[in-house]
Amino acid sequence: MYKILIIEDDRKIRKELKTFLEKYNYKVEIYDDFSNFDAEKIKKDIHLILLDINLPQKDGFYICKEIRRKNSLPIIFITSRDNEMDELMGMHLGADDFITKPFNTQILLARIESIIRRTYETNKTNTYEIKNIKYYPDKSLVEYKEKTEELTKNENRILKTLAENRNKIVTRNQMMNCLWQTDEFVDDNTLTVNVNRLRNKLESLGVKDIIETKRGQGYIIK
Amino acid sequence: MKLKHYIKDNIFLVILNLSILPFIYIFLKVLNFNTHASYIIIFLLFITFSINIFYNYFRKKTYYDKLIKINNNLDKKYLLIEMIEKPNFNEGRIFYNIIKNISKSMNDEIYKYKKDNIDYKEYIEMWVHEVKTPLSSAKLTIKNIENEDYKGINQSLDSIDKYVEQVLYYAKSSHANEDYIIKSNNLENIVNEAVKKNSSYLIESKIKIIKENLNFNIYTDKKWILFIIDQIINNSIKYMEKQDKLLTFQGFKEKDNIGLSIKDNGMGIDSKDINNVFKKGYTGKIGRIKSKSTGIGLYLCKKLCDKLGIYIKIKSEENIFTEVTLLFPKSSISN
């Protein structure tokens, strides 16, 4: 489990952010001693830092610089100062990403995930097991009894979303939103076609009814 | 300054001086003065008097002509007093001093308003950033509750966020301090980002997105252009009511420009209104029917485009389509 450190002075935001990230299986720690920041105080088991810019005493840029002097922990700026100047400044100081408040939670999760993958999981492959089917999202492959089937980009994204939200209904709109976050602006019909193709592929491996349709609600994998 | 006018102005002096000459002549005659000597005296008096008139005329003419010329060439007329020297005649000096006092007080006044304006802009910017913090935590709270019933609140929060953003850019647009950075951006990335930002609403409104030929580089400020495209997309979302809603983003290359056309197949704009859509507060026919318009969105787009050197135009046919085109100047670096 990956551990995220939140450096943010607004209590309400950090509390909600903590709840939100914990729901998605991250451990969360909060840093709130702004009186004298010391990069040494950051524990060794932190994997990623979410850092606000407007902070009491020293600002986020200073903190970012201090951390960078010690190590190369991934840093994502979260800020309400939405301008190009700050973003360039942040990147210049060695931050990995820059997300503006109020954040789209989908985008926040996607950015955290991609940075963590890039930093810590270069050799590891993600695997899901769904009713004896092995699913490798990084390779876009499904495997069942030594038979494999390759998935297209959209099919892979659909299956991944369902696998991540296992036992929860994913509405068609949510599903489309997930696909849109990868710059695939599919419409309603295309989604239906893609889901059907994915079902056919899974069926051709010999397993039926993995993806259930909840009429009027969405899709689910149990 | 014309001689005619000057003499007209000093007509009393001229008449007085000229009319005294015959009297002097008669006076000298009575005193039995030599006739030739009398003529010479009269002549000398005439010369002195003429020199006096012409000397004063040229002195003032030189000064005032220069003043008029400088004033005509001056962009900011209230700075005139800084550009001219003190005149060498008394009444001129009196006026000079008065004008100097006037413009000083005027400049102080202007400075005061400028400062107020900057303070106000800074306050607005600070306020916008402040208000985004509770907005974010409210949005996260709703997200954490995960109850479909609260979706409405989430959408209201998004609307608030959009209006707040508009305030921020309004403050930025009406200010001389430029806080943008022009750099190379990929047009497709920008369109993708703008679409993603509005994904929930576009999906909910069942709008089909079509992208064509967007692989160009444009030179502009990313945040500003995202805001501009955001306003255009939101207009389209508001005014599309058909079954098959389409929103097309198309890139093209013109002689000196890269263009982006954003076209919807919505309600369109009445031909009577089309020339006014960039005016502040103009809502037109649709605005009155739908009562959702504030007449600020496109006005702001135009103002920001002007600042960034982007040409914006709009074409529409009622009930068929609305197309907003942005023309980005090609930078010298890209050639």
Side-chain angles (χ1 to χ4, degrees):
Chain A
M1 212 190 243
Y2 292 102
K3 198 166 186 180
I4 297 174
L5 178 70
I6 300 175
I7 307 182
E8 153 78 74
D9 59 329
D10 188 89
R11 280 163 196 278
K12 194 133 176 24
I13 287 214
R14 60 190 193 213
K15 186 185 137 244
E16 295 295 346
L17 207 50
K18 186 171 191 278
T19 316
F20 175 73
L21 291 171
E22 280 170 351
K23 225 180 254 183
Y24 285 84
N25 292 323
Y26 290 105
K27 269 194 191 164
V28 177
E29 201 162 293
I30 284 166
Y31 186 97
D32 58 1
D33 175 17
F34 299 107
S35 53
N36 52 47
F37 176 80
D38 184 1
E40 294 290 346
K41 282 191 209 153
I42 292 174
K43 293 191 193 126
K44 295 280 176 282
D45 60 344
I46 299 289
H47 294 98
L48 182 137
I49 297 172
L50 295 178
L51 177 58
D52 189 16
I53 293 180
N54 284 331
L55 294 169
Q57 316 282 345
K58 300 281 201 273
D59 69 2
F61 292 136
Y62 172 83
I63 290 179
C64 181
K65 220 175 0 185
E66 284 299 298
I67 296 170
R68 272 291 163 272
R69 288 215 316 226
K70 299 272 188 291
N71 59 44
S72 59
L73 263 179
I75 296 173
I76 300 179
F77 271 115
I78 43 167
T79 176
S80 55
R81 299 215 309 221
D82 186 13
N83 64 57
E84 192 86 25
M85 208 94 77
D86 280 352
E87 193 166 330
L88 284 177
M89 178 82 163
M91 294 304 177
H92 179 71
L93 291 173
D96 295 82
D97 215 327
F98 196 95
I99 298 174
T100 43
K101 288 180 200 164
F103 18 70
N104 179 328
T105 42
Q106 292 270 15
I107 293 180
L108 180 71
L109 276 180
R111 303 266 178 93
I112 291 177
E113 198 192 304
S114 95
I115 289 175
I116 283 189
R117 178 109 37 89
R118 208 165 65 207
T119 324
Y120 303 106
E121 295 183 356
T122 41
N123 299 315
K124 220 166 96 187
T125 40
N126 228 349
T127 330
Y128 290 97
E129 275 214 36
I130 310 156
K131 295 181 184 162
N132 297 328
I133 290 184
K134 279 210 171 95
Y135 166 46
Y136 308 98
D138 299 333
K139 290 193 240 166
S140 301
L141 270 184
V142 275
E143 194 183 281
Y144 180 69
K145 291 181 181 164
E146 266 138 55
K147 271 195 288 180
T148 58
E149 199 56 70
E150 219 168 294
L151 303 177
T152 64
K153 196 176 160 196
N154 283 351
E155 291 161 0
N156 189 37
R157 186 76 209 180
I158 292 169
L159 190 55
K160 195 173 166 218
T161 308
L162 287 168
E164 278 168 354
N165 292 285
R166 208 159 165 190
N167 296 320
K168 273 189 261 176
I169 297 172
V170 181
T171 67
R172 288 180 65 86
N173 282 2
Q174 277 172 352
M175 185 70 86
M176 275 165 73
N177 220 327
C178 282
L179 286 164
W180 280 36
Q181 295 314 318
T182 57
D183 299 340
E184 296 291 330
F185 303 135
V186 298
D187 60 9
D188 218 44
N189 293 333
T190 320
L191 178 66
T192 311
V193 170
N194 278 315
V195 171
N196 283 338
R197 281 210 196 116
L198 177 61
R199 276 189 171 137
N200 289 340
K201 277 187 185 173
L202 293 172
E203 264 174 46
S204 76
L205 287 177
V207 273
K208 274 190 176 177
D209 301 326
I210 290 228
I211 302 171
E212 287 175 41
T213 306
K214 294 274 170 189
R215 198 154 266 288
Q217 297 184 67
Y219 303 104
I220 185 169
I221 290 185
K222 282 183 182 159
Chain B
M1 198 168 173
K2 282 186 175 153
L3 183 61
K4 195 169 83 187
H5 296 136
Y6 182 79
I7 292 183
K8 213 170 151 193
D9 241 19
N10 292 287
I11 194 73
F12 178 70
L13 266 182
V14 174
I15 291 173
L16 189 73
N17 273 294
L18 290 179
S19 56
I20 211 147
L21 294 177
F23 286 108
I24 293 174
Y25 179 73
I26 293 164
F27 183 65
L28 294 173
K29 204 85 192 165
V30 173
L31 288 180
N32 267 333
F33 226 75
N34 179 300
T35 315
H36 286 290
S38 308
Y39 282 142
I40 287 170
I41 289 171
I42 295 292
F43 179 69
L44 283 177
L45 277 174
F46 180 74
I47 290 293
T48 322
F49 161 68
S50 302
I51 286 174
N52 187 16
I53 287 272
F54 282 104
Y55 171 71
N56 267 322
Y57 168 67
F58 282 111
R59 198 160 65 140
K60 289 184 181 172
K61 182 182 161 60
T62 328
Y63 185 78
Y64 285 117
D65 281 357
K66 203 167 146 197
L67 188 71
I68 289 167
K69 200 177 151 207
I70 291 174
N71 188 42
N72 284 341
N73 291 335
L74 212 57
D75 184 27
K76 294 196 166 114
K77 307 249 187 262
Y78 62 90
L79 292 173
L80 177 72
I81 205 73
E82 311 291 335
M83 304 293 296
I84 54 173
E85 52 209 51
K86 220 171 182 174
N88 53 3
F89 48 95
N90 189 41
E91 76 225 57
R93 275 196 293 272
I94 293 172
F95 261 96
Y96 178 88
N97 287 334
I98 288 173
I99 291 176
K100 195 166 183 175
N101 283 338
I102 292 174
S103 38
K104 189 176 174 307
S105 114
M106 183 68 183
N107 283 328
D108 288 350
E109 201 78 349
I110 291 172
Y111 176 76
K112 194 181 138 249
Y113 282 111
K114 261 190 186 161
K115 202 179 162 296
D116 284 355
N117 208 345
I118 291 171
D119 285 352
Y120 190 62
K121 183 202 166 213
E122 279 171 2
Y123 168 69
I124 292 281
E125 287 190 355
M126 195 193 74
W127 179 87
V128 166
H129 297 142
E130 298 266 306
V131 89
K132 288 210 169 189
T133 303
L135 257 178
S136 322
S137 63
K139 274 186 67 100
L140 275 170
T141 310
I142 300 280
K143 183 81 195 170
N144 284 336
I145 294 171
E146 259 187 63
N147 184 334
E148 281 289 302
D149 298 342
Y150 291 128
K151 222 169 109 192
I153 300 178
N154 197 33
Q155 291 186 346
S156 304
L157 290 172
D158 282 340
S159 306
I160 294 174
D161 184 39
K162 286 210 183 300
Y163 287 123
V164 165
E165 193 91 327
Q166 225 178 39
V167 169
L168 177 67
Y169 278 90
Y170 191 96
K172 283 183 176 183
S173 77
S174 53
H175 212 268
N177 272 6
E178 321 287 10
D179 50 2
Y180 51 74
I181 298 174
I182 304 285
K183 61 184 180 76
S184 173
N185 288 289
N186 181 273
L187 188 56
E188 179 149 17
N189 287 346
I190 289 197
V191 169
N192 285 343
E193 222 169 293
V195 170
K196 276 191 271 187
K197 202 173 158 206
N198 291 291
S199 59
S200 305
Y201 295 95
L202 289 165
I203 290 170
E204 203 145 292
S205 319
K206 299 202 184 308
I207 295 172
K208 191 178 159 89
I209 303 292
I210 299 168
K211 294 190 290 177
E212 281 168 10
N213 197 28
L214 291 172
N215 198 11
F216 292 108
N217 271 356
I218 53 169
Y219 289 82
T220 193
D221 181 281
K222 197 169 137 200
K223 305 283 174 189
W224 285 44
I225 194 65
L226 276 174
F227 175 80
I228 292 166
I229 296 176
D230 201 57
Q231 298 295 308
I232 298 169
I233 291 178
N234 276 289
N235 271 348
S236 288
I237 297 176
K238 268 192 214 164
Y239 301 122
M240 277 206 262
E241 284 178 339
K242 280 185 204 138
Q243 270 299 308
D244 297 311
K245 300 171 191 165
L246 291 178
L247 187 59
T248 312
F249 296 86
Q250 191 179 38
F252 59 89
K253 198 172 187 171
E254 260 187 15
K255 219 170 68 201
D256 295 316
N257 303 302
I258 300 291
L260 170 67
S261 132
I262 304 169
K263 188 175 175 181
D264 68 37
N265 61 347
M267 297 163 75
I269 301 165
D270 192 320
S271 55
K272 285 198 278 308
D273 292 334
I274 193 98
N275 290 323
N276 294 315
V277 291
F278 292 123
K279 284 185 188 155
K280 183 176 171 184
Y282 193 86
T283 51
K285 190 167 126 192
I286 288 174
R288 287 190 289 277
I289 298 169
K290 302 258 302 180
S291 77
K292 266 185 192 169
S293 318
T294 50
I296 292 293
L298 281 174
Y299 161 76
L300 254 185
C301 284
K302 171 91 174 94
K303 229 174 149 189
L304 295 170
C305 280
D306 285 349
K307 285 210 154 192
L308 290 173
I310 298 168
Y311 179 67
I312 182 170
K313 61 182 174 184
I314 189 162
K315 239 172 43 184
S316 179
E317 208 170 308
E318 223 181 333
N319 294 320
I320 313 257
F321 76 91
T322 304
E323 180 182 20
V324 180
T325 307
L326 302 169
L327 289 178
F328 303 91
K330 252 195 253 170
S331 159
S332 54
I333 313 163
S334 67
N335 292 335

